[in-house]
C-alpha cells in the first residue's frame, strides 16, 4: 500500500498543452508539498499546503496551479507547458507543518515537454 | 535554512561502514539535522534526524558534534543497494515557512 502515490509516472506532451499530475497520501498527514527536480538533479520546493491551505509558493510561474480538494490530495495543474517545464516532479507529505517530522516522498512523475 | 557542506562524492567498500560527513557551522538552536537519500530515479527517502544527541535507527546512526557544527551519517555495513545521493539538511522545527531544502548532496558509490 503506497504511502504517497503520484499519477502518472510518465507524461510526454507537446508545448502549449495543459496537464495535471495527481498526488494522494494515505498517511493521515496534514501537510503536502510539490518539488521539482531538474536535469541537474537539484530538488526545489515549489508549493506547500497545510490542511488544504497554501503556505508557500516558491517563485513558481503562475502557469502552475496546485489544488488540494482535501488534505489527502494535492494535485498540480500546469497550463501552457514549456520546454523548460521538463523535469521530475515529486509530491511529499509530512505529519504537520511545524515540528521535527520527516517528509515522505512519492516516486515521482517524469514530465517531458516536446 | 543554515547552509550545509558535503563532499560531492565518496566511495565505500561493500560490507564496510560508510561515514558521510556534513558541515553546518551556522546551525541555529531551533534547527534539526536531517538526512535523506535518493536512489537513482526514485523519490528521496528519509533516513534519520537529530537535534543534539546521537541517534540510531534500523537504517543508520547520526553522530552530531557537541557544538552542533557538524555531523556524520554512518551506514554500519554498506551494501550495493546503499549507492545513492545522500543529503544533509538543517531545518527549523518551529518555522512554518521553513521547508526541507536540498543541496547538492554526496554521491555515495558502494563497490563490491
Amino acid at each position: 500500500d503506497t504511502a504517497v502515490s503520484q499519477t502518472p509516472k510518465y507524461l510526454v506532451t507537446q508545448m502549449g498543452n495543459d496537464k495535471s499530475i495527481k498526488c494522494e497520501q494515505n498517511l493521515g498527514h496534514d501537510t503536502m508539498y510539490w518539488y521539482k527536480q531538474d536535469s541537474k538533479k537539484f530538488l526545489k520546493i515549489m508549493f506547500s499546503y497545510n490542511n488544504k491551505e497554501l503556505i508557500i509558493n516558491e517563485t513558481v510561474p503562475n502557469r502552475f496551479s496546485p489544488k488540494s480538494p482535501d488534505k489527502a490530495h494535492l494535485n498540480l495543474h500546469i497550463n501552457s507547458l514549456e520546454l523548460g517545464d521538463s523535469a521530475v516532479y515529486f509530491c511529499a507529505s509530512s505529519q504537520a507543518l511545524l515540528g521535527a517530522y520527516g517528509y515522505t516522498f512519492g516516486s515521482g512523475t517524469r514530465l517531458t515537454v516536446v | 535554512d543554515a547552509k550545509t557542506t558535503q563532499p560531492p562524492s565518496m566511495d565505500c567498500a561493500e560490507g564496510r561502514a560508510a561515514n558521510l560527513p556534513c558541515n553546518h557551522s551556522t546551525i541555529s538552536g531551533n534547527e534539526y539535522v536531517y538526512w535523506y537519500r535518493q536512489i537513482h530515479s526514485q523519490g528521496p527517502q528519509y533516513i534519520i534526524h537529530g537535534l543534539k544527541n546521537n541517534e540510531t535507527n534500523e537504517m543508520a546512526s547520526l553522530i552530531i558534534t557537541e557544538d552542533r557544527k557538524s555531523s556524520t551519517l554512518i551506514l554500519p555495513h554498506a551494501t550495493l543497494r546503499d549507492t545513492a545521493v545522500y543529503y544533509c539538511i538543517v531545518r527549523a522545527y518551529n518555522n512554518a515557512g521553513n521547508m526541507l531544502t536540498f543541496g547538492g548532496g554526496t554521491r555515495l558509490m558502494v563497490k563490491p
Side-chain angles (χ1 to χ4, degrees):
Chain A
D1 203 20
T2 306
V4 179
S5 58
Q6 298 179 226
T7 53
K9 191 169 175 63
Y10 299 96
L11 185 53
V12 181
T13 188
Q14 290 187 326
M15 273 195 312
N17 283 351
D18 303 338
K19 290 293 177 185
S20 292
I21 306 171
K22 295 186 177 181
C23 178
E24 176 182 4
Q25 54 96 2
N26 62 6
L27 298 167
H29 287 174
D30 284 347
T31 313
M32 297 184 73
Y33 313 85
W34 277 108
Y35 280 80
K36 177 182 179 181
Q37 188 166 38
D38 58 24
S39 56
K40 294 183 179 178
K41 303 297 185 184
F42 287 110
L43 271 157
K44 294 180 185 176
I45 181 78
M46 298 175 69
F47 299 102
S48 164
Y49 265 72
N50 188 59
N51 276 318
K52 305 191 300 174
E53 198 175 315
L54 177 67
I55 302 299
I56 290 285
N57 175 349
E58 287 284 337
T59 60
V60 176
N62 57 16
R63 297 182 296 102
F64 290 78
S65 53
K67 285 186 172 50
S68 182
D70 54 62
K71 74 174 193 178
H73 296 84
L74 181 61
N75 304 323
L76 184 64
H77 188 77
I78 316 170
N79 290 327
S80 304
L81 277 154
E82 301 177 356
L83 293 176
D85 298 332
S86 295
V88 182
Y89 292 83
F90 290 100
C91 178
S93 71
S94 65
Q95 189 168 334
L97 187 62
L98 299 175
Y101 300 109
Y103 289 18
T104 302
F105 284 81
S107 56
T109 296
R110 183 174 294 276
L111 171 66
T112 304
V113 182
V114 296
Chain B
D1 283 337
K3 184 177 176 181
T4 62
T5 305
Q6 299 178 253
S9 64
M10 290 181 64
D11 289 345
C12 177
E14 189 179 19
R16 304 297 294 268
N19 297 290
L20 292 96
C22 180
N23 281 312
H24 31 79
S25 57
T26 59
I27 193 169
S28 301
N30 64 341
E31 290 179 318
Y32 276 73
V33 180
Y34 293 81
W35 283 84
Y36 284 76
R37 72 180 182 183
Q38 188 174 24
I39 296 170
H40 180 64
S41 299
Q42 297 181 21
Q45 179 189 22
Y46 164 81
I47 301 173
I48 200 168
H49 74 278
L51 186 62
K52 50 186 174 182
N53 297 324
N54 297 338
E55 302 287 344
T56 295
N57 63 21
E58 66 278 3
M59 289 183 69
S61 294
L62 173 60
I63 309 296
I64 302 174
T65 57
E66 197 169 333
D67 63 9
R68 302 187 69 236
K69 292 184 177 181
S70 65
S71 60
T72 301
L73 179 75
I74 301 172
L75 308 178
H77 306 287
T79 71
L80 299 179
R81 287 178 296 180
D82 292 322
T83 292
V85 179
Y86 287 77
Y87 297 97
C88 169
I89 302 167
V90 293
R91 175 178 175 256
Y93 65 86
N94 56 357
N95 181 344
N98 197 203
M99 303 298 131
L100 210 62
T101 302
F102 291 80
T106 295
R107 184 172 297 276
L108 176 69
M109 181 76 72
V110 180
K111 299 184 173 180

